[in-house]
Amino acid sequence: MPTYNKLVRDRIPEIIESTGKKFSTRILDDNEYIKELKKKSFEELQEYVETNNNEDSIEELADVLEILHALAEYHGASIKEVEEIRKQKAEKRGGFREKIFLIEVEDE
């Protein structure tokens, strides 16, 4: 039996069960959960980085967004609140649309 030891989406056990396969799971405590969410965020972002077409990119971005929703909720915020902070930061510092690549800044 393959060992995964990773955080999975809530309906994965139900999906596995429907195939008739045996599996084991456990519920994480809060410390384990945030650790695994952070690890999962890197996993999902890496999967996005490895895509090479728009369709796969959008699919992986949806997974990244799901993780962002879970992280926001864990930290006591809604994705709407996170979006509001994003907008405020974009107003102050801009976004990334202009594709500016900083090379160097002179030291004093």
Side-chain angles (χ1 to χ4, degrees):
M1 185 182 306
T3 303
Y4 291 93
N5 288 324
K6 69 178 190 174
L7 182 65
V8 295
R9 288 175 174 264
D10 297 340
R11 294 194 61 207
I12 295 302
E14 176 186 326
I15 293 166
I16 295 169
E17 190 172 52
S18 73
T19 68
K21 294 180 180 178
K22 294 189 185 296
F23 63 94
S24 61
T25 63
R26 70 182 180 85
I27 304 302
L28 302 173
D29 66 32
D30 284 348
N31 290 330
E32 293 171 311
Y33 178 58
I34 190 61
K35 179 182 173 189
E36 292 300 319
L37 267 178
K38 288 177 179 182
K39 191 173 8 174
K40 191 74 169 177
S41 70
F42 283 104
E43 176 188 321
E44 297 298 351
L45 192 55
Q46 184 62 42
E47 289 175 6
Y48 164 73
V49 167
E50 292 171 0
T51 62
N52 53 24
N53 64 61
N54 287 340
E55 185 178 343
D56 290 344
S57 294
I58 299 301
E59 181 84 15
E60 295 306 330
L61 285 173
D63 290 342
V64 171
L65 187 57
E66 189 64 35
I67 292 295
L68 290 176
H69 278 260
L71 286 166
E73 185 177 320
Y74 177 85
H75 291 293
S78 67
I79 202 68
K80 185 177 178 181
E81 290 171 284
V82 173
E83 175 61 14
E84 193 55 43
I85 293 168
R86 184 205 64 78
K87 285 179 185 177
Q88 291 169 9
K89 291 181 87 169
E91 271 184 37
K92 281 185 181 178
R93 305 186 80 178
F96 296 97
R97 292 186 176 148
E98 294 182 26
K99 305 174 189 175
I100 298 169
F101 185 76
L102 182 64
I103 297 170
E104 60 186 1
V105 176
E106 180 180 27
D107 276 344
E108 294 182 39

